[in-house]
Amino acid sequence: MLFRSFDGSTSYASFVNNPVGVLGDFTIEGWFYSASATSSFMGLFGFGGNSSSLSPATLILGNASNAGSSTVRFLSSTNGSSWAIDSTSSTGVTSNNAWIHFAVVRFGGSFIVYINGNAVITSTSISSTTALYSGGTRNRIGAYAYDGYYYSGYIDDFRVTNGICRYPYNFTIPASAYPNN
C-alpha cells in the first residue's frame, strides 16, 4: 500500500521488479485524487518499460487529442516496440477534487479498466495465452515508465495482485482499506 503526494514534475515511486505477471490474470488497483486539471498527460503507473521500450501495463489520465481531459488511457505491449492495446475511455469518467478508485484487470483474454467500479475500457486485443512484454526495467507509480507524464495529486492504497482478477465485472468500490488478502 502507498499513500503519497506527487508534484507533477519530478516525483514518482519506483521499484526494481515488474509487479505484473507476463501471463495470467492480475489486478492493479488504488485510489487517486487530482486537485486540478493539467494541460498534459499524467501517468498513474507504468510497469516494465524503459527509455527505449514500451510498457506491458500503463494507465494515463488524458489522451492525445485532449490532454488533461477527464479520460483514462490504457496501454499494453507484448513486444516492447508496439502497443497491442491503446484504448481511451470516453470523456467525463474522472473528476478533480475527489478520490477516485481505479482498477485494471486481466481476466483471461480481456483487459478491463474500471473507474469507481464501472468498466470504462474493455479490450480483447491480447489472448489469454499471449505474454506481456517483460524486458523493461522501469516500474513507476505516479509517472509513465517510458519517460515523463508525471502525476500531480495523491495516490493511496495502491496494490497489485498477480494470479487473481478481483473484478471480472462492474463492482461496488471498497468503503475502507483493503483487507490483508
Side-chain angles (χ1 to χ4, degrees):
M1 290 194 209
L2 165 86
F3 176 78
R4 185 161 171 186
S5 168
F6 298 91
D7 66 13
S9 63
T10 60
S11 66
Y12 58 87
S14 66
F15 39 96
V16 175
N17 296 321
N18 181 349
V20 176
V22 295
L23 279 172
D25 295 346
F26 62 76
T27 302
I28 305 166
E29 67 178 313
W31 295 83
F32 69 89
Y33 182 100
S34 302
S36 62
T38 178
S39 61
S40 64
F41 303 110
M42 294 192 299
L44 284 180
F45 64 82
F47 297 144
N50 59 40
S51 62
S52 62
S53 64
L54 303 176
S55 170
T58 297
L59 190 62
I60 297 173
L61 301 180
N63 65 54
S65 62
N66 192 9
S69 68
S70 57
T71 63
V72 293
R73 181 178 179 196
F74 177 69
L75 302 119
S76 182
S77 180
T78 57
N79 60 17
S81 61
S82 63
W83 294 119
I85 299 174
D86 183 350
S87 297
T88 302
S89 70
S90 60
T91 59
V93 299
T94 66
S95 60
N96 295 318
N97 299 310
W99 282 101
I100 307 235
H101 183 267
F102 69 90
V104 176
V105 302
R106 183 177 191 176
F107 181 51
S110 296
F111 287 76
I112 308 166
V113 177
Y114 296 97
I115 297 295
N116 287 333
N118 297 303
V120 297
I121 295 173
T122 300
S123 176
T124 56
S125 298
I126 302 174
S127 78
S128 61
T129 59
T130 301
L132 300 179
Y133 178 68
S134 63
T137 57
R138 290 186 183 166
N139 302 292
R140 297 177 175 173
I141 299 170
Y144 175 47
Y146 191 68
D147 269 329
Y149 301 145
Y150 298 100
Y151 177 70
S152 178
Y154 302 93
I155 297 176
D156 193 15
D157 278 349
F158 190 95
R159 76 172 172 177
V160 177
T161 308
N162 273 312
I164 298 172
C165 169
R166 294 185 180 274
Y167 310 112
Y169 310 104
N170 287 349
F171 60 96
T172 301
I173 58 174
S176 60
Y178 305 124
N180 291 330
N181 57 16

